[in-house]
Amino acid sequence: HNCIREEGRQRPAAVIARCIEMYAHESVLQTMKAPVQRTQRRQRWVRPPNDVLKLNCDGSFRPNELIGSWGFLIRDSDGDVVMVGRGKINHLLNAFQAELVACLQGLQTAVDLGIGRIVLETDAQEVVRAMNSMAYDDSVVGVLAEEIKSLSIMNFINFECVFVGRSCNEAAHELAKLGYLCLEGEEIISNSLPGDIAVIVANDLLA
């Protein structure tokens, strides 16, 4: 009684066999068409061109405590660290504000160093939109965005703000985490790297 019924009639064995053959062939074709899974290479930090410095910034936010931290580092075309910074902020509104504070701290340090050409890299797409449009000018943290834009226009010959993935911004991310260890309002700006961050920076150059 192993018969397949179609509209109440028994289908001949030859037809059943042909259907099975076609189904098997179709299955093979589908398998052949299946996309090949390729292991994507992990993105890494890329050195800036000669005469350009790169500023990586990151902010962190703890919504339950309404506190945050920031971290940044500036590197040259050889991948050497020019300056790093980190700090803690109390009474934050959101993660976006922490990201903007990180960028502002990094850019102000670049201005103080007399840097003329800089690329700002962030893993926060909102920051890039804020820098390249007026979308956030009327927001609660719009004053911060305006201040960053003003700094960039008045102090740099060339300025660019670009989005990168977290793996390209890992050193700044870890610096921001260290920022929580600072006192409120404390800013640690230095040309020396904490040990764990030095390992990340060295690994960035191996890419």
Side-chain angles (χ1 to χ4, degrees), residues 36-104:
V36 179
Q37 295 293 327
R38 290 185 174 86
T39 303
Q40 286 192 338
R41 190 180 177 187
R42 179 180 164 87
Q43 287 186 318
R44 284 288 188 187
W45 181 84
V46 178
R47 304 175 198 206
N50 290 334
D51 300 324
V52 176
L53 280 84
K54 184 170 280 190
L55 166 64
N56 286 85
C57 302
D58 201 20
S60 177
F61 177 58
R62 292 178 179 171
N64 293 336
E65 303 168 69
L66 295 180
I67 65 170
S69 62
W70 52 269
F72 74 81
L73 69 164
I74 301 171
R75 284 176 277 190
D76 63 19
S77 56
D78 292 324
D80 292 332
V81 172
V82 176
M83 200 66 71
V84 299
R86 63 187 186 273
K88 180 182 176 183
I89 331 152
N90 282 0
H91 315 297
L92 270 185
L93 295 171
N94 50 40
F96 182 36
Q97 186 181 11
E99 297 284 358
L100 289 174
V101 169
C103 294
L104 184 59

Side-chain angles (χ1 to χ4, degrees), residues 124-196:
Q125 291 185 335
E126 275 190 308
V127 170
V128 178
R129 282 196 292 270
M131 292 303 98
N132 298 322
S133 73
M134 294 184 291
Y136 297 92
D137 288 3
D138 295 327
S139 69
V140 180
V141 294
V143 175
L144 277 174
E146 276 297 305
E147 193 170 346
I148 293 169
K149 283 194 269 192
S150 178
L151 266 182
S152 65
I153 291 168
M154 295 176 63
N155 295 281
F156 300 106
I157 301 166
N158 291 110
F159 171 79
E160 188 180 1
C161 179
V162 296
F163 172 78
V164 293
R166 170 61 59 80
S167 59
C168 303
N169 209 41
E170 195 173 347
H173 177 70
E174 292 301 319
L175 278 165
K177 282 164 63 173
L178 285 178
Y180 283 115
L181 302 177
C182 297
L183 300 173
E184 180 189 358
E186 182 182 15
E187 299 172 3
I188 299 178
I189 313 281
S190 170
N191 58 4
S192 63
L193 281 171
D196 292 347

Side-chain angles (χ1 to χ4, degrees), residues 2-5 10-21:
N2 295 327
C3 51
I4 300 173
R5 295 188 176 274
Q10 290 190 3
R11 299 173 65 188
V15 174
I16 295 171
R18 178 64 180 152
C19 287
I20 292 171
E21 183 185 339

